Amino acid sequence: SVSTSTSEYSTAYGETKTIVLPDQSTVTLNANSLLRLAQDNWDNTLEREVWLDGEAFFEVMRQKAPTKGAVKFVVHSGNVRVEVLGTKFNVNNRHQATQVVLSSGEVKLSIERDTKSSAEAILMKPGELVAVDADQREVERKVVDPAKYTSWTENKLVFDNTSFVKIGQLIEDNYGLRVSIRTPALLDKEFTGAAPADNLNVLLEKLALVYNLDITRNDDELIIQEK
């Protein structure tokens, strides 16, 4: 197990962090996330490996091996292995699901099934999203606008017909608050809009205004209900 400080990077609730890896690739780590490196020194490796728990945006530099070809860069995220040479992509590994959005370049996903022999491989193109849920049965693949999924790296929360349930999950994941939606009718509502990531109150004020809500905070619990 890796315990040295240089091999493990983490963020608190409400905090993001940019890390420069030994090969000069950069990783922007979203709130409440953990990135682990296999080793500090990547000089003689044929595979650059990291493990992600949470969410991160990767900008991977191409790296040539002294002996042969390019050095692979591998992100382990739940039961999904993301393999790249040089590219920009977002990985979200929360709620027993892994979601990969490709901004540019090319990545290969290997989805580990129950047995090693049946790992499924998917070659992704820019502008694609692939989501794999944890019971490893469901794989969703669709074309998206990657900017909407990486806006958090620019301190923006962007919602596009996003359900209140998903908004509640995001608040719990990134800010460490428990969200209690007291009006059942709100569960069917969707929100489109943007707010700064470092000031949750702006988002809450917008939601309260648009849907005529009463949003109160009780210690670590956020109570949302119609007025």
Side-chain angles (χ1 to χ4, degrees), residues 70-224:
V71 179
K72 279 181 195 165
F73 188 104
V74 177
V75 182
H76 300 274
S77 167
N79 61 313
V80 178
R81 173 187 158 106
V82 187
E83 197 178 293
V84 300
L85 292 175
T87 188
K88 297 181 185 182
F89 59 99
N90 196 81
V91 182
N92 183 314
N93 168 23
R94 301 200 197 269
H95 304 284
Q96 289 81 49
T98 295
Q99 174 188 282
V100 181
V101 176
L102 183 59
S103 298
S104 68
E106 194 176 82
V107 304
K108 185 174 97 177
L109 303 187
S110 303
I111 300 160
E112 289 160 15
R113 300 299 191 185
D114 299 329
T115 57
K116 275 276 184 252
S117 60
S118 62
E120 181 181 339
I122 294 177
L123 209 57
M124 287 182 70
K125 297 188 180 76
E128 281 191 322
L129 173 152
V130 173
V132 183
D133 84 356
D135 65 16
Q136 305 171 28
R137 303 289 175 268
E138 289 292 312
V139 177
E140 179 191 16
R141 185 176 190 171
K142 61 183 180 182
V143 174
V144 297
D145 173 4
K148 286 179 178 158
Y149 292 84
T150 60
S151 60
W152 64 268
T153 63
E154 291 158 5
N155 191 35
K156 284 197 299 249
L157 298 173
V158 176
F159 301 99
D160 185 12
N161 291 330
T162 307
S163 71
F164 262 69
V165 174
K166 285 243 170 79
I167 293 170
Q169 266 186 359
L170 181 133
I171 291 170
E172 291 187 346
D173 291 340
N174 290 356
Y175 302 95
L177 299 172
R178 278 184 306 123
V179 177
S180 179
I181 299 172
R182 296 279 169 90
T183 311
L186 286 174
L187 299 175
D188 297 327
K189 295 265 193 282
E190 293 180 334
F191 175 69
T192 295
D198 60 0
N199 188 347
L200 182 58
N201 288 336
V202 175
L203 172 64
L204 299 179
E205 284 161 14
K206 283 189 178 187
L207 292 174
L209 195 65
V210 172
Y211 296 103
N212 195 27
L213 304 178
D214 195 13
I215 301 179
T216 51
R217 186 164 168 182
N218 184 4
D219 290 330
D220 283 344
E221 188 180 23
L222 209 57
I223 299 159
I224 302 175

Side-chain angles (χ1 to χ4, degrees), residues 15-28:
E15 175 194 28
T16 59
K17 189 183 280 184
T18 299
I19 300 143
V20 180
L21 298 177
D23 63 345
Q24 301 307 299
S25 294
T26 59
V27 182
T28 309

Side-chain angles (χ1 to χ4, degrees), residues 44-48 65-68 70-72:
N44 295 312
T45 183
L46 290 174
E47 199 164 87
R48 301 167 278 171
T67 47
K68 54 172 196 270
V71 179
K72 279 181 195 165

